[in-house]
Amino acid sequence: MPWSRIGSGIVAIALALGMMLLGGWYFTAGFCIIVYLGQMEYFQLARAKGFAPAGKTTLVVSQILLVVSNISPPMADAIFPVAGTFICFYLLFQPKFATIADISASIMGLFYGGYLPSYWIRLRFLGQAEVSNLPFNGFWTTSWQGLDQLPIGLTNTLLAFLCIWAADIGAYTIGRWIGRTRLSDISPKKTVEGAVFGVAASVAVAVLGSWYLNWSGWPIAGVALGLLIGVASLLGDLTESMMKRDAGVKDSGQLIPGHGGILDRADSYVFTAPLVYYFVTLVLPLLPK
């Protein structure tokens, strides 16, 4: 593995952990930057296909949606359809008639690049208001007594990230080592062996995390969450690969040395966000102790 890939990966993980630990507006601001850069890459892919999406308008309304997700998470669900309607109105009054592809690319940019990632902000927001001890609604623990003593939003977000990292590292390592069976023509380098081990690694981390955090329904809850994250992260990776293949490019960008663009690194996080959020807020409370 190139040193540039290792170095940029370490820097990315350090920044992600810093955002995650602080929470509040620190986490939201960092995510706003990531979403902005990711949507810029997405619209470049769309334009490579000859589409003319409402890029600037979608970027603005997506940032509003992310900010609202921190202020009042339930309101973000109201912002999404309003933002989609506004984008359609914008395209309607352009000098050049917008096509179905233009509208679809714009709404997909809002949904894929803004709305789905907003669930990470909602997840990290859980329990933050009660423990905030820094400006801008941030948090820093004064005594490290264990992860189970940290805010619920922080521990759940950290566990989800660890599962995704385990799935990515496991699939990459095993795929290169013993992978022989191609998983999909969409991404020729991905193998069935790597995918299976990646999902298994996600399940293992989720089970350990659910035990450590004393979740209801352990270990079933851990297995369910690990499967959700492992499969969703793989589907997110394949979806981004499909878009790149359709646009005729190898990477979504060149921002991260050795990795490509933001979408190349964040694709596993897109579909996992709402699944983790609703699992923690809706499913987990229903499980017996």
Side-chain angles (χ1 to χ4, degrees):
M1 185 181 294
W3 285 107
S4 61
R5 183 182 178 92
I6 296 174
S8 58
I10 292 173
V11 171
I13 290 175
L15 291 174
L17 288 174
M19 289 165 45
M20 198 185 312
L21 289 171
L22 292 172
W25 288 107
Y26 304 96
F27 186 78
T28 302
F31 238 87
C32 284
I33 295 173
I34 293 171
V35 165
Y36 176 82
L37 295 174
Q39 284 183 318
M40 290 286 286
E41 292 177 357
Y42 165 80
F43 286 126
Q44 287 178 356
L45 296 177
R47 293 187 182 102
K49 290 292 297 178
F51 305 151
K56 293 180 180 178
T57 304
T58 306
L59 288 169
V60 171
V61 296
S62 295
Q63 294 296 307
I64 295 173
L65 191 152
L66 294 173
V67 170
V68 171
S69 295
N70 191 5
I71 298 174
S72 176
M75 282 296 295
D77 292 323
I79 294 293
F80 176 62
V82 173
T85 303
F86 184 77
I87 289 171
C88 290
F89 281 168
Y90 174 83
L91 290 170
L92 182 64
F93 293 102
Q94 293 303 295
K96 179 184 176 182
F97 287 132
T99 65
I100 295 176
D102 299 338
I103 298 172
S104 300
S106 302
I107 299 300
M108 180 62 175
L110 173 64
F111 176 74
Y112 176 81
Y115 181 68
L116 293 182
S118 75
Y119 278 93
W120 287 118
I121 296 177
R122 306 188 205 193
L123 181 66
R124 181 59 187 88
F125 180 84
L126 296 175
Q128 181 74 5
E130 292 81 1
V131 299
S132 176
N133 56 10
L134 291 177
F136 305 109
N137 201 30
F139 166 78
W140 188 258
T141 182
T142 54
S143 60
W144 293 93
Q145 299 178 352
L147 292 176
D148 56 334
Q149 302 299 316
L150 296 176
I152 183 175
L154 173 55
T155 55
N156 290 332
T157 305
L158 179 59
L159 178 58
F161 272 49
L162 289 174
C163 289
I164 294 173
W165 294 341
D168 286 347
I169 295 172
Y172 179 83
T173 304
I174 297 301
R176 288 179 63 89
W177 182 29
I178 63 172
R180 297 293 183 272
T181 309
R182 180 181 294 183
L183 178 65
S184 171
D185 291 335
I186 294 174
S187 184
K189 291 184 178 181
K190 287 183 173 53
T191 63
V192 173
E193 294 84 355
V196 170
F197 191 86
V199 174
S202 173
V203 170
V205 171
V207 169
L208 288 174
S210 64
W211 166 76
Y212 185 83
L213 298 174
N214 195 27
W215 273 9
S216 300
W218 179 86
I220 302 301
V223 173
L225 180 66
L227 285 173
L228 282 175
I229 293 177
V231 173
S233 64
L234 176 61
L235 292 178
D237 198 335
L238 290 174
T239 299
E240 199 252 351
S241 295
M242 180 175 59
M243 290 191 292
K244 289 189 299 182
R245 177 173 287 272
D246 189 38
V249 299
K250 181 178 182 294
D251 296 319
S252 63
Q254 301 298 326
L255 182 65
I256 308 175
H259 291 268
I262 288 290
L263 287 182
D264 294 316
R265 288 299 88 206
D267 51 9
S268 300
Y269 298 80
V270 177
F271 296 130
T272 52
L275 294 178
V276 175
Y277 177 79
Y278 286 120
F279 181 86
V280 169
T281 58
L282 297 181
V283 177
L284 198 58
L286 300 177
L287 298 179
K289 290 288 186 180

